[in-house]
Amino acid sequence: MNILVINSGSSSLKYKLFDMDKQKSLVSGVAERIGGTDSFIKHENGEKTVIDLELPNHKVALKEVLDLLTDPKLGVIKSLDEIDAVGHRILHGQEVFTESVILDKEKVETLKGFIEMGPLHMPANIGGIEACFSLMPNVPQIGAFDTAFHATIPAKAHLYALPYDLYESFKIRRYGFHGTSHKYVTNRAAEFLGKSQDDLKMITLHLGNGSSMAAVKNGKCIDTSMGFTPLEGLVMGTRCGDMDPAIVPYIGKKLDMTPDEVDTLMNKESGLKGFSGLSNDMRDIQQARSEGNKLAQLVYEMFVYRIVKYVGAYTAALGGLDCMVFTAGIGENDYEARRDICKELAFMGVFIDEELNDGLKGKETRLSTKESKVEVLLIPTNEELSIALDTYKLVK
Ligand code: ADP
């Protein structure tokens, strides 16, 4: 069975075609700058090809991608009939979609009601789904939601102490994001350890440009650091994460900014980038602090400290800790950050093999030593495969 996974962003469309019998990716790529100038498709079928072409909208981009998949030279299938299902990454399922679902026109209409909760991503996600409906009308379309894995978080952890009416009227609550990644590494970690999920108290650390952590008990998420939007929680590439919400109106008054402008400041001009004034990329921050840049050093310490604080909180919430999993761009590649986070947790019996950890990038590995009370794993995330697996289960 071949499954196409589509991840539509505001100006991009990523794709990956899987042969599920072999659990292997056949081809992948990304259409970029959709709706803008200089748009192109980067296509990888063993070799990388970049094709410059006009991509005025997601539907045209998808049509071009489908043509590429069936292209005699660059493609991997003879006709679109060889695609058995499409899995779509969708940002927000609100409280309606708490697991992956087979999509139909009615469900797409329901999704349109969530645009306000993800104004950047949701229109693109829906655009990708509608394009597939029109270009591949007989192929089942599945939606996998970034929020779904967090649907099991109990009310005491997902509600904010605002007037209850605000939750009832506007569904203001914690949703959490990166769910497909947290779910994937949770499953892989249990497999790796040869243990049942039912025996594990786990913290998953998805540390990328956007970062979040999840507390997972017996395979079910009980808390996560991102909230109503992806802004809450950790210090991220361009997001500030947790702070006193009263700062928002204060900045508004001081700088004569609208709430939307303050929102942009917190989401796009803060975090590693905003604080250091340098870059949202942790590699640049590491380089700068090695050269003695004080703000880079400080924001790195804040990044590590916030994570350590969350590990403490989640260990209490879980009532203990069996396993920690590092994943995503920083989690998989930044061995200094992994080392510095674990050092702060030595009091809890967290010990990693520093020699093994040193220089290690992107390879599934047990980092903890025999003496460690907590298993520490590096598990590369694979959000597309996670979506493909859900799609496979639903259409089979
Ligand atoms: P996202 O999916 O949120 O865009 P990724 O999970 O791809 O992010 O992570 C991208 C980030 O990972 C980069 O912005 C960079 O900060 C970090 N990163 C990647 N490689 C390294 C590395 N070798 N050392 C430190 N950080 C890295």
Side-chain angles (χ1 to χ4, degrees):
M1 183 185 284
N2 291 333
I3 288 174
L4 178 64
V5 174
I6 300 277
N7 181 358
S8 311
S10 50
S11 66
S12 69
L13 185 148
K14 290 188 195 142
Y15 58 94
K16 206 165 197 175
L17 184 68
F18 288 93
D19 174 341
M20 293 311 286
D21 301 325
K22 295 185 188 137
Q23 290 225 353
K24 198 179 121 201
S25 155
L26 300 172
V27 66
S28 65
V30 58
E32 292 201 45
R33 294 174 175 268
I34 299 172
T37 50
D38 302 328
S39 44
F40 60 91
I41 298 182
K42 226 187 306 175
H43 181 78
E44 249 190 283
N45 62 343
E47 274 172 44
K48 283 184 194 168
T49 315
V50 179
I51 305 143
D52 293 312
L53 72 183
E54 253 183 74
L55 302 171
N57 55 49
H58 281 81
K59 190 170 173 190
V60 173
L62 185 70
K63 173 83 177 62
E64 295 291 350
V65 167
L66 296 178
D67 285 349
L68 266 176
L69 296 180
T70 50
D71 184 87
K73 264 197 200 142
L74 297 171
V76 286
I77 49 175
K78 287 201 185 71
S79 90
L80 292 183
D81 295 342
E82 289 174 49
I83 298 176
D84 299 290
V86 182
H88 295 267
R89 180 180 183 177
I90 304 176
L91 176 80
H92 223 304
Q94 218 232 42
E95 289 185 324
V96 178
F97 300 115
T98 55
E99 51 189 31
S100 298
V101 292
I102 299 182
L103 296 166
D104 55 27
K105 295 261 153 75
E106 201 182 310
K107 292 200 177 81
V108 174
E109 284 310 308
T110 308
L111 287 176
K112 288 182 183 167
F114 308 157
I115 287 179
E116 238 184 345
M117 293 192 158
L120 282 183
H121 292 85
M122 289 304 284
N125 296 165
I126 294 166
I129 297 164
E130 286 184 327
C132 281
F133 270 131
S134 89
L135 295 168
M136 313 161 82
N138 300 320
V139 180
Q141 312 285 327
I142 274 76
F145 301 86
D146 263 22
T147 47
F149 184 62
H150 307 301
T152 46
I153 297 176
K156 66 182 176 186
H158 77 230
L159 291 174
Y160 295 112
L162 292 162
Y164 189 67
D165 180 45
L166 289 178
Y167 163 64
E168 288 188 312
S169 305
F170 305 119
K171 296 285 169 214
I172 296 175
R173 51 160 285 181
R174 176 183 311 285
Y175 291 100
F177 299 88
H178 292 142
T180 49
S181 175
H182 288 293
K183 178 176 167 179
Y184 178 79
V185 298
T186 295
N187 291 335
R188 268 307 302 151
E191 277 169 23
F192 184 97
L193 297 170
K195 288 192 176 161
S196 153
Q197 306 252 13
D198 295 341
D199 298 329
L200 287 172
K201 292 171 181 156
M202 204 184 300
I203 296 177
T204 50
L205 300 95
H206 177 110
L207 309 176
N209 189 34
S211 296
S212 68
M213 289 169 56
V216 186
K217 195 174 191 174
N218 306 337
K220 293 204 164 53
C221 183
I222 63 155
D223 207 347
T224 192
S225 58
M226 283 180 167
F228 179 61
T229 75
L231 182 58
E232 195 179 342
L234 306 180
V235 175
M236 309 181 213
T238 61
R239 298 188 189 114
C240 57
D242 295 338
M243 64 170 203
D244 182 345
I247 295 170
V248 177
Y250 193 77
I251 293 177
K253 279 186 209 133
K254 285 281 175 199
L255 298 179
D256 194 20
M257 288 169 109
T258 64
D260 279 351
E261 285 169 339
V262 182
D263 186 76
T264 304
L265 176 103
M266 296 183 299
N267 270 293
K268 301 233 163 96
E269 302 299 332
S270 299
L272 301 180
K273 179 181 170 200
F275 190 88
S276 69
L278 295 171
S279 164
N280 64 310
D281 194 308
M282 187 56 101
R283 284 165 289 203
D284 298 332
I285 299 297
Q286 294 289 22
Q287 177 67 27
R289 78 184 187 101
S290 76
E291 291 161 1
N293 183 301
K294 288 214 171 68
L295 289 183
Q297 176 63 29
L298 201 48
V299 79
Y300 174 75
E301 287 173 19
M302 288 154 68
F303 173 86
V304 170
Y305 176 73
R306 185 85 51 92
I307 291 168
V308 169
K309 205 159 89 166
Y310 266 94
V311 172
Y314 285 172
T315 303
L318 289 162
L321 183 62
D322 300 310
C323 176
M324 270 170 59
V325 185
F326 285 100
T327 196
I330 299 172
E332 291 169 28
N333 299 303
D334 192 332
Y335 48 93
E336 283 182 80
R338 290 196 302 259
R339 181 198 61 207
D340 293 342
I341 291 163
C342 291
K343 256 190 191 160
E344 298 293 322
L345 299 169
F347 79 97
M348 286 172 32
V350 173
F351 300 108
I352 61 168
D353 180 334
E354 290 198 10
E355 241 172 74
L356 177 69
N357 177 61
D358 228 26
L360 188 69
K361 292 184 181 185
K363 186 166 168 265
E364 197 167 276
T365 309
R366 184 197 304 255
L367 299 169
S368 40
T369 61
K370 280 207 184 91
E371 293 70 41
S372 183
K373 289 193 187 133
V374 177
E375 299 277 11
V376 182
L377 307 179
L378 188 176
I379 297 189
T381 194
N382 195 334
E383 288 165 295
E384 288 85 7
L385 180 59
S386 179
I387 294 166
L389 287 167
D390 271 14
T391 305
Y392 184 69
K393 257 190 235 156
L394 278 169
V395 291
K396 210 164 155 241

